Amino acid sequence: MTEETPGFEEEPEVPSGATPEDAEPKAADSSKGEAAPAGENKSAGAETALLAQLDQSRTALGERTADLQRLQAEYQNYRRRVERDRVQVKEIAVASLLSELLPTLDDIGRAREHGELVGGFKSVAESLETVAAKMGLQQFGKEGEPFDPTIHEALMHSYAPDVTETTCVAILQPGYRIGERTIRPARVAVAEPQPGASAPKAAEEDSAEKESGGPEQG
């Protein structure tokens, strides 16, 4: 039995042919192997953050695109509304101007009917009518056409045996329109069918049926 010398510790056994320094790289290698998972986690976290930022950017881009499309639609509607209002204002202004000329056109028409449209007066009158026509003024109203309360104004009323419906039998003042807008209805005299005019015809038909023995039976 040997006695241990106090003050000295036993050194670890070192394989033959190896030096104590050979054990140190193993410890270093083990420390490197433990640090690798931490680096991978950091890289995965950065990728997740980038994907989140990309999704946010895409959402923001979609919202801005929708806003731009909405603004474009509102602008187009605004342009159409302004153009429609501009056309309506122009039509109203033209209709107002031509309405003031209607009494003059009526005088020209009466002068023409009486053969008084001659000389320089005829030239001026025709020039005025031409300008009014270029501005879209159209005259309407003819004798013999059916009475239409939306474009005719009946000033006189009578009965006539030779009409089958309410008919314009005289044009007292022609009507005028601009496009689909009526600026003055035609003022007319109308005639309706004679009351009871169809009764004698029906009586004649009944008499003819009685003479022939009534209607044929199948």
Side-chain angles (χ1 to χ4, degrees), residues 120-139:
F121 178 53
K122 178 180 179 181
S123 177
V124 173
E126 290 177 348
S127 297
L128 180 60
E129 290 175 335
T130 301
V131 171
K134 287 183 178 180
M135 297 179 70
L137 186 65
Q138 300 175 356
Q139 186 182 104

Side-chain angles (χ1 to χ4, degrees), residues 182-206:
T182 299
I183 62 176
R184 189 181 77 182
R187 293 165 180 168
V188 300
V190 300
E192 292 183 341
Q194 190 73 30
S198 60
K201 184 177 181 180
E204 292 177 0
E205 292 178 354
D206 291 341

Side-chain angles (χ1 to χ4, degrees), residues 67-214:
D67 292 341
L68 179 60
Q69 292 174 346
R70 183 171 59 255
L71 289 175
Q72 288 178 338
E74 292 177 355
Y75 178 66
Q76 293 297 330
N77 292 335
Y78 169 76
R79 289 187 59 185
R80 285 192 291 266
R81 186 168 59 253
V82 169
E83 181 64 19
R84 183 175 62 250
D85 293 344
R86 186 185 67 81
V87 172
Q88 290 179 350
V89 169
K90 179 181 178 180
E91 290 178 352
I92 292 173
V94 171
S96 178
L97 172 62
L98 294 178
S99 295
E100 298 296 327
L101 294 178
L102 295 186
T104 302
L105 296 175
D106 291 336
D107 292 338
I108 293 173
R110 285 189 289 266
R112 183 179 286 110
E113 291 176 357
H114 292 84
E116 299 175 356
L117 197 62
V118 294
F121 178 53
K122 178 180 179 181
S123 177
V124 173
E126 290 177 348
S127 297
L128 180 60
E129 290 175 335
T130 301
V131 171
K134 287 183 178 180
M135 297 179 70
L137 186 65
Q138 300 175 356
Q139 186 182 104
F140 66 90
K142 294 181 180 180
E143 293 183 6
E145 63 185 6
F147 176 75
D148 184 352
T150 62
I151 59 174
H152 296 138
E153 180 181 354
L155 300 183
M156 299 178 63
H157 176 269
S158 62
Y159 295 98
D162 57 344
V163 297
T164 58
E165 60 180 341
T166 305
T167 305
C168 300
V169 294
I171 305 299
L172 306 179
Q173 276 187 335
Y176 289 96
R177 66 166 62 97
I178 300 176
E180 300 297 327
R181 181 195 298 269
T182 299
I183 62 176
R184 189 181 77 182
R187 293 165 180 168
V188 300
V190 300
E192 292 183 341
Q194 190 73 30
S198 60
K201 184 177 181 180
E204 292 177 0
E205 292 178 354
D206 291 341
S207 177
E209 288 181 0
K210 290 179 180 179
E211 292 177 358
S212 62

